[in-house]
Amino acid sequence: MRTLILLALAGLGAQLVDGSLGMAHGVISTVLLLALGTTPAAASAIVHFAQIGTGLVSGASHARFGNVDWKVVIRIGVPGAVGAFVGATVLSHLSTALAEPVMAVILLALGLYVTWRFTVRGVPRGKAGRPLGKRFLVPVGLVAGFLGATGGGGWGLIGTPALLAGGRLEPRKVVGSVDASKALVALAASLGFLFSLGSHGVNWPRVLAFLVGGTVIAPVAAWLARFVAPRILGSTVGGLIVLLNARTLLADWIHVPGTVGACVYVVLYGLWAAALAHSVRAHRRERDTRPEPAGERQPVSA
């Protein structure tokens, strides 16, 4: 029961971040499940089954606040579902000994990318209003869906920064559209795990725990998407993902000696702190120099 309560709280926190930033629900949840001894395929299956429900509630909440572009949802969600089904099938047929380091490497790479993307480049705004075409959204959906299923998370970590990088949708609509398409992607991944693992391979109480925690907070997270500072939150989440998966690789796979590992952690913490400080300063400069549109509120700093 204590484990289920912990997972429900983790689901609540993960959805709060995901619904307001458009990423990290799967990664945060998967890292915790792996720490509890869950196999990679089972962890990803639990997360994706829960995301069917949380994705529906989050998508509906974002739509209510006007945060969704439905053309983008279809153009990225359908190829994302295809990639997710293939990724779930691939992960289900990998041995646990191979799947664990593969998943950790994928998550570490995603964490590094998100940290760099939001810390160094921020959120571009120069092409607002231009449509996003299929030639851009289809490959993004396929890659994000595949890595999301094989890595236990990655749909938002790839999809959200990619859409933000284009600068054609305002951040809140990027977050809302990626979140609204997540239910379709999660459904496809879940079917892939169900066909490969069978229903006995899924811990349903843990699915329910994540589902309850996520659906409770999803409407609040959708509301917050209009106000949070994506640059700061992106650097925060990306650094956290890097630290968690670096520990998995160094301690459980590479078997780095304690002193060397401690030095690596100190360096990583220092770089994370520097990234956060840079993002905070950059966000404040952008907020102070950007003219406030009539009738709209500026995002509050995190």
Side-chain angles (χ1 to χ4, degrees):
M1 181 57 68
R2 289 182 180 179
T3 299
L4 294 179
I5 293 174
L6 173 64
L7 294 178
L9 292 174
L12 187 149
Q15 183 59 44
L16 181 62
V17 173
D18 189 278
S20 56
L21 186 61
M23 64 177 74
H25 179 280
V27 173
I28 294 172
S29 304
T30 300
V31 168
L32 177 58
L33 287 168
L34 292 176
L36 292 173
T38 310
T39 64
S44 188
I46 290 170
V47 170
H48 282 91
F49 271 106
Q51 284 181 343
I52 298 174
T54 58
L56 287 172
V57 175
S58 182
S61 301
H62 276 293
R64 179 184 177 187
F65 291 113
N67 297 343
V68 178
D69 184 323
W70 291 107
K71 289 183 179 179
V72 172
V73 170
I74 297 300
R75 289 176 178 176
I76 197 173
V78 173
V82 174
F85 184 87
V86 175
T89 304
V90 169
L91 180 61
S92 299
H93 289 88
L94 288 179
S95 68
T96 301
L98 178 61
E100 288 181 352
V102 166
M103 180 176 282
V105 169
I106 290 174
L107 294 177
L108 178 64
L110 291 173
L112 288 170
Y113 170 69
V114 169
T115 305
W116 172 82
R117 181 66 188 78
F118 282 90
T119 301
V120 177
R121 299 190 62 186
V123 182
R125 302 173 183 274
K127 302 177 182 177
R130 298 184 187 179
L132 288 163
K134 292 181 180 179
R135 285 188 291 182
F136 171 73
L137 292 175
V138 170
V140 170
L142 284 170
V143 173
F146 180 82
L147 291 180
T150 55
W155 172 249
L157 290 174
I158 296 173
T160 297
L163 268 62
L164 285 173
R168 301 188 179 191
L169 278 179
E170 56 184 304
R172 68 184 182 91
K173 288 198 173 183
V174 170
V175 173
S177 300
V178 171
D179 256 26
S181 59
K182 183 173 293 183
L184 178 60
V185 175
L187 176 61
S190 299
L191 290 174
F193 285 119
L194 197 60
F195 291 152
S196 300
L197 299 176
S199 59
H200 63 279
V202 183
N203 188 315
W204 296 108
R206 292 187 175 186
V207 172
L208 182 61
F210 276 116
L211 181 61
V212 171
T215 53
V216 166
I217 203 67
V220 177
W223 175 76
L224 286 174
R226 301 182 298 169
F227 306 110
V228 296
R231 187 163 196 164
I232 298 173
L233 199 51
S235 297
T236 302
V237 173
L240 179 61
I241 294 166
V242 170
L243 287 168
L244 291 173
N245 288 281
R247 180 184 180 279
T248 299
L249 288 172
L250 292 175
D252 300 337
W253 189 39
I254 304 177
H255 303 295
V256 172
T259 303
V260 176
C263 293
V264 173
Y265 297 144
V266 169
V267 171
L268 290 176
Y269 274 107
L271 291 174
W272 188 23
L276 282 173
H278 176 79
S279 292
V280 169
R281 289 194 298 268
H283 169 68
R284 288 176 176 172
R285 287 196 302 268
E286 293 169 356
R287 182 190 59 190
D288 294 339
T289 58
R290 187 169 62 244
E292 182 175 358
E296 293 188 11
R297 295 181 58 183
Q298 290 286 350
V300 298
S301 59

